[in-house]
Amino acid sequence: MFKGVNIGHKSEGTPFPSLAVRSLALSQTHFLLSSPIPFLIILHNISVSPPSFFQASSAVWDSVRHSTVLTKMSLLDIPDNIYNWIESFFSGHSHCTKFGNNISHFSDISASIIQGSGIGPVSYVVTASDLHPVNSANLMTKYADDTYLIIPASDANSCNSEIEHIESWSTANNLQLNRNKSSEIVFVRPRNRKLTIPPPAVPGIQRVEQVKMLGVTFSRKFSVSLHVDELLTKCTQSLFALRTLRHHGLPLDALHTVFQAVVVNKLTYATPAWYGFTTAADRGRIDSFLRRSVKLGYRHVSLPSFDSMCDNADELLFFKIVNNSHHLLYPLLPPQRQQHYELRERAHNFQLTTRSSSLTDSNFFTRMLFKNTGCSS
């Protein structure tokens, strides 16, 4: 039974500006799929349905001490010459301030991480590696400088102790938990007819009706209709740019390429994580937009529908996970079945998860496990 989740939210935007867009999109999709709430990927490992709480600390890039990063890196099993190179990378930086014709003295930089550097994301991962929930029943997921704390409904009273622990960790690492930029959301089962009493609000943290995780918006009832609204608004705005390009003489083939690169890629971003939560009305609105784009000449009529594109993305990702035991999401698959007799070849040999409700049917692994056995989900 779903009681809800408390999740806080930090700043949006591209956390790793030096990465290729496609690689970044894939890593964000993997993070969304590995997050138990709201994407219900590992709920088969959780005995109760969760409220969860998300928190955000101040940007780690700005104030984390170099000495702290290097101390934690020294605990890693890396060669001495690599550690020495990293230490050299962080040393020898200084800055000054110029106002008008006046220039201040140079001061050494002993904190912050150079954004855009290849070692920046790794430095954050190492810095945050020792931040764990106090209660083993709670879960914590991190991506770049966003931190999500997921607390089951049965352990809702541990919110304050978890927040105090995070504040203590932040202080020890020269950071600060900014409660004003954090938020809380209580998730409830969409078709729950019983009165759900939410847990007490966390002091200083705003409780919201929807949360955006890496560009994907979910409401407290696991609806993605608002996310579809935002997508269609942005894609409609992109049509004006396409119209301008056509007015300046861009060939039709090139126009189709731009539409695919800008609009379609925007529509299909991280679809394995949220496509299962769409309604027929949500999918119909997206298909209507694509048909209108065909009529306006921005998209070729023979290209697949939105459902087909999402199905292809699901199949491709599932195939990669199943056939690579080192894949980030492979541990989230259920155990393999033990068979002692010959049967027809199947797409996978994993046990089927329990389908307790339409909500669990929406998660990526449940959909794909049943789809690839010929069972309807």
Side-chain angles (χ1 to χ4, degrees):
M1 181 176 65
F2 282 77
K3 296 292 186 180
V5 197
N6 316 323
I7 291 188
H9 186 62
K10 192 177 170 12
S11 61
E12 302 168 17
T14 303
F16 304 149
S18 62
L19 294 179
V21 173
R22 180 167 179 79
S23 298
L24 179 58
L26 287 175
S27 62
Q28 290 174 335
T29 302
H30 294 165
F31 172 81
L32 294 176
L33 287 175
S34 64
S35 301
I37 298 299
F39 305 99
L40 305 177
I41 295 308
I42 59 173
L43 279 185
H44 56 277
N45 293 329
I46 301 177
S47 58
V48 293
S49 345
S52 75
F53 169 79
F54 162 90
Q55 64 82 29
S57 58
S58 65
V60 114
W61 318 104
D62 298 335
S63 57
V64 63
R65 297 186 185 95
H66 293 167
S67 59
T68 301
V69 178
L70 293 172
T71 299
K72 294 183 180 183
M73 285 191 173
S74 68
L75 302 176
L76 302 178
D77 185 19
I78 57 177
D80 291 343
N81 61 321
I82 299 298
Y83 175 82
N84 292 336
W85 179 88
I86 295 173
E87 185 179 23
S88 176
F89 176 82
F90 282 112
S91 63
H93 298 284
S94 59
H95 73 95
C96 66
T97 302
K98 179 179 181 180
F99 182 76
N101 295 323
N102 299 317
I103 302 177
S104 68
H105 296 289
F106 281 86
S107 300
D108 292 335
I109 299 176
S110 59
S112 80
I113 294 175
I114 301 174
Q115 296 195 39
S117 62
I119 201 173
V122 176
S123 299
Y124 169 73
V125 171
V126 173
T127 302
S129 61
D130 59 350
L131 174 61
H132 305 289
V134 175
N135 193 315
S136 60
N138 302 332
L139 296 171
M140 187 176 290
T141 58
K142 309 159 193 172
Y143 185 88
D145 54 355
D146 288 344
T147 303
Y148 300 80
L149 175 64
I150 299 97
I151 301 178
S154 61
D155 200 34
N157 293 330
S158 66
C159 276
N160 288 326
S161 62
E162 292 285 3
I163 296 305
E164 291 174 0
H165 168 65
I166 292 170
E167 287 183 319
S168 298
W169 178 90
S170 299
T171 301
N173 286 272
N174 200 35
L175 302 170
Q176 181 181 5
L177 173 64
N178 192 335
R179 296 197 178 210
N180 293 329
K181 290 186 178 181
S182 301
S183 60
E184 178 188 18
I185 183 168
V186 178
F187 285 97
V188 296
R189 192 183 292 272
R191 299 177 184 177
N192 184 22
R193 297 181 180 179
K194 297 181 181 179
L195 177 63
T196 302
I197 301 177
V202 179
I205 294 179
Q206 180 185 12
R207 180 169 288 176
V208 296
E209 294 295 313
Q210 58 270 334
V211 62
K212 178 175 288 189
M213 293 179 65
L214 302 182
V216 179
T217 303
F218 272 75
S219 75
R220 62 190 298 267
K221 291 190 175 182
F222 296 95
S223 169
V224 293
S225 294
L226 181 60
H227 179 63
V228 174
D229 289 342
E230 295 172 349
L231 278 180
L232 293 178
T233 298
K234 293 177 181 177
C235 291
T236 301
Q237 293 171 349
S238 297
L239 295 185
F240 173 77
L242 288 167
R243 185 166 64 248
T244 303
L245 290 173
R246 182 166 59 183
H247 177 73
H248 286 80
L250 187 69
L252 186 61
D253 289 344
L255 199 65
H256 290 168
T257 301
V258 173
F259 182 88
Q260 180 70 26
V262 176
V263 178
V264 175
N265 283 350
K266 191 176 297 182
L267 286 173
T268 55
Y269 163 73
T271 51
W274 59 269
Y275 173 69
F277 296 90
T278 58
T279 63
D282 294 331
R283 297 188 294 272
R285 290 162 57 206
I286 295 177
D287 273 328
S288 177
F289 169 81
L290 292 175
R291 288 194 299 269
R292 181 161 63 93
S293 300
V294 171
K295 188 178 297 185
L296 293 173
Y298 301 133
R299 188 170 190 257
H300 198 278
V301 67
S302 63
L303 292 178
S305 64
F306 178 70
D307 284 344
S308 297
M309 290 188 290
C310 292
D311 287 341
N312 291 337
D314 286 351
E315 291 284 356
L316 180 61
L317 179 58
F318 186 72
F319 178 82
K320 290 181 178 179
I321 298 171
V322 169
N323 291 281
N324 182 7
S325 60
H326 299 290
H327 195 283
L328 174 66
L329 302 178
Y330 189 89
L332 303 183
L333 289 168
Q336 293 195 11
R337 294 176 294 183
Q338 300 298 324
Q339 295 181 348
H340 304 285
Y341 43 83
E342 295 293 334
L343 291 175
R344 62 182 176 85
E345 185 178 355
R346 296 180 178 271
H348 67 81
N349 194 35
F350 295 96
Q351 297 178 13
L352 298 181
T353 56
T354 303
R355 298 171 59 188
S356 58
S357 68
S358 59
L359 189 58
T360 55
D361 285 348
S362 300
N363 103 46
F364 172 76
F365 284 106
T366 301
R367 288 189 287 115
M368 298 310 297
L369 288 169
F370 279 91
K371 178 180 178 181
N372 285 278
T373 56
C375 301
S376 174
S377 59

